[in-house]
Amino acid sequence: MDDEQQRPDHGPLAGFTVGVTAARRADELGALLQRRGAAVLHAPAIRIVPLADDSELLAATKQLIDQAPDVVVATTAIGFRGWVEAADGWGLGDALLERLRAVELLARGPKVKGAVRAAGLTEQWSPASESMAEVLDRLLEEGVDGRRIAVQLHGEPLPGFVESLRAGGAEVVGVPVYRWLPPEDLGPVDRLLDAAVSRGLDAVTFTSAPAAASLLSRAEERGLLPGLLAALGHDVLPACVGPVTAVPLQAHGVDTVQPERFRLGPLVQSLCRELPARARALPVAGHRLEIRGHAVLIDGELRTVPPAGMALLRALSRRPGWVVPRAELLRALPGTGRDEHAVETAMARLRTSLGAPKLIQTVVKRGYRLALDPATDAKYTDGG
């Protein structure tokens, strides 16, 4: 009982390392992950052009004021509010609002509708579903041939939306609210890429399609794209806040985990389910050994293990109960050393980290093996 009381409360993500690519709300996401025990590697894959400095947004705003569109589609609440505030800062706020009052204004969902009304405007229509597909269907039913349609963008691609309008004969004007650019400091992104390719990460989170596209682009520039795609396909879990965010990854054949509700909280909860389910759990020497990213759970108690020790443990766990030769374990160690004494040193540290030396048995002149419990030994050692 005393041991149970002294044991710290480890969150569901304890022992896992999660990469965060977000620029906006990264602190909030990182805090949610850390609160559940994860180690977080933050590398903003994009940066946002400040609205007040955005010459493209200024030009688009002046163009719409000078030449009225037939329809304006507001797609995000934060984007619409930011657009109106930026126009105010340029002395164009009243002119923009006057123009928007005179056109057919569509708001994608309740949140955007709230932002529209807060600006003193009234939308002509808004879907309850927050679905751009529903907005598109309505526009195409009305007929778009020869109509000028302005779409307030928010850095996210709108797959098929603009193309469908243009195919229907519309002139589409993009209003580029919050444009994304690559980060000025590529160091953190490069560290995240290196960690992903070397399997030093257990998951990478994406909260915007531009961040996903930017990370893939940087990987390609460095010649790491095949390695990154291989990692994301097997060992490093890619988690996206929603289907639009996943588009750049899906284009490269990468399957992603997505929550049912496209919010940060559900994104973290999906990781809390998925990562522990992927961890290897084995009955060893009367204990339950669960191997996580940079740590292990022994009977539910978290033990941090150095990278060399984790490399040895993974090599042993791939064939639990079998003897793994020193030469094979040496190849598994980080670095390119040739001295098998390095295996003995790393093994001694691993046993100390585990705090249960009988988990790993030394087989004289042959190597080491995980001391798999006899009841389950046959299941693994017979190749099952």
Side-chain angles (χ1 to χ4, degrees):
M1 187 68 173
D2 288 343
D3 288 344
E4 288 294 329
Q5 288 175 342
Q6 290 172 7
R7 183 177 296 167
D9 181 19
H10 305 298
L13 296 180
F16 295 113
T17 303
V18 180
V20 172
T21 61
R24 211 168 55 84
R25 300 182 70 190
D27 290 345
E28 181 182 347
L29 177 55
L32 287 171
L33 291 166
Q34 288 171 336
R35 209 172 298 147
R36 287 156 181 81
V40 174
L41 181 61
H42 180 217
I46 49 176
R47 61 187 165 96
I48 302 169
V49 179
L51 289 176
D53 302 337
D54 196 332
S55 56
E56 282 191 28
L57 178 60
L58 175 58
T61 303
K62 285 181 175 177
Q63 183 188 1
L64 291 177
I65 291 170
D66 294 341
Q67 188 181 353
D70 299 295
V71 183
V72 173
V73 181
T75 62
T76 64
I78 188 171
F80 188 80
R81 282 196 301 269
W83 183 22
V84 172
E85 288 168 8
D88 271 337
W90 297 322
L92 299 173
D94 290 341
L96 176 62
L97 292 177
E98 186 179 339
R99 176 59 74 207
L100 293 176
R101 283 191 189 96
V103 303
E104 182 181 347
L105 181 57
L106 307 182
R108 189 205 73 172
K111 285 186 178 179
V112 191
K113 183 163 68 173
V116 166
R117 294 192 176 183
L121 304 169
T122 304
E123 76 291 342
Q124 267 66 36
W125 178 81
S126 174
S129 65
E130 296 191 73
S131 165
M132 287 301 287
E134 202 173 331
V135 177
L136 178 62
D137 289 344
R138 178 184 170 91
L139 286 168
L140 294 177
E141 283 170 16
E142 288 179 350
V144 297
D145 191 20
R147 301 186 85 194
R148 194 158 180 266
I149 301 174
V151 182
Q152 171 250 311
L153 306 170
H154 186 60
E156 304 281 2
L158 301 172
F161 186 84
V162 172
E163 293 85 347
S164 297
L165 291 176
R166 286 182 176 145
E171 177 193 353
V172 181
V173 179
V175 181
V177 180
Y178 293 113
R179 283 189 301 121
W180 313 116
L181 293 175
E184 288 178 318
D185 179 8
L186 289 167
V189 172
D190 287 345
R191 285 191 287 276
L192 185 142
L193 283 172
D194 291 340
V197 171
S198 66
R199 284 25 176 208
L201 290 180
D202 300 292
V204 184
T205 59
F206 299 95
T207 55
S208 74
S214 178
L215 190 72
L216 292 166
S217 174
R218 180 59 181 166
E220 190 165 23
E221 286 173 14
R222 295 185 59 205
L224 294 177
L225 186 57
L228 177 64
L229 295 177
L232 294 176
H234 296 95
D235 305 305
V236 181
L237 180 68
C240 294
V241 77
V244 173
T245 296
V247 167
L249 293 160
Q250 288 174 339
H252 284 84
V254 175
D255 292 326
T256 65
V257 170
Q258 299 166 27
E260 289 185 10
R261 292 177 58 243
F262 309 146
R263 302 285 185 269
L264 295 187
L267 174 65
V268 172
Q269 288 305 318
S270 67
L271 287 176
C272 290
R273 288 191 302 272
E274 294 285 339
L275 285 179
R278 290 160 64 106
R280 189 82 188 272
L282 296 166
V284 181
H287 300 278
R288 183 182 188 274
L289 174 69
E290 183 179 319
I291 302 170
R292 296 190 166 193
H294 61 262
V296 297
L297 291 179
I298 300 176
D299 299 330
E301 184 176 353
L302 188 72
R303 295 274 184 166
T304 302
V305 177
M310 287 304 302
L312 292 180
L313 197 53
R314 286 198 187 92
L316 293 169
S317 70
R318 278 193 283 272
R319 288 185 288 161
W322 289 71
V323 178
V324 182
R326 282 182 174 79
E328 187 175 328
L329 292 172
L330 181 62
R331 288 194 295 273
L333 283 176
T336 55
R338 296 183 180 180
D339 185 357
E340 289 187 7
H341 181 66
V343 174
E344 295 172 19
T345 302
M347 189 62 72
R349 289 176 180 159
L350 170 59
R351 283 171 162 155
T352 301
S353 300
L354 296 176
K358 292 183 179 178
L359 295 177
I360 301 170
Q361 293 177 340
T362 302
V363 183
V364 179
K365 295 186 179 179
R366 291 181 61 200
Y368 300 88
R369 67 186 287 271
L370 279 182
L372 205 64
D373 284 346
T376 55
D377 202 38
K379 173 185 172 184
Y380 291 98
T381 55
D382 289 347

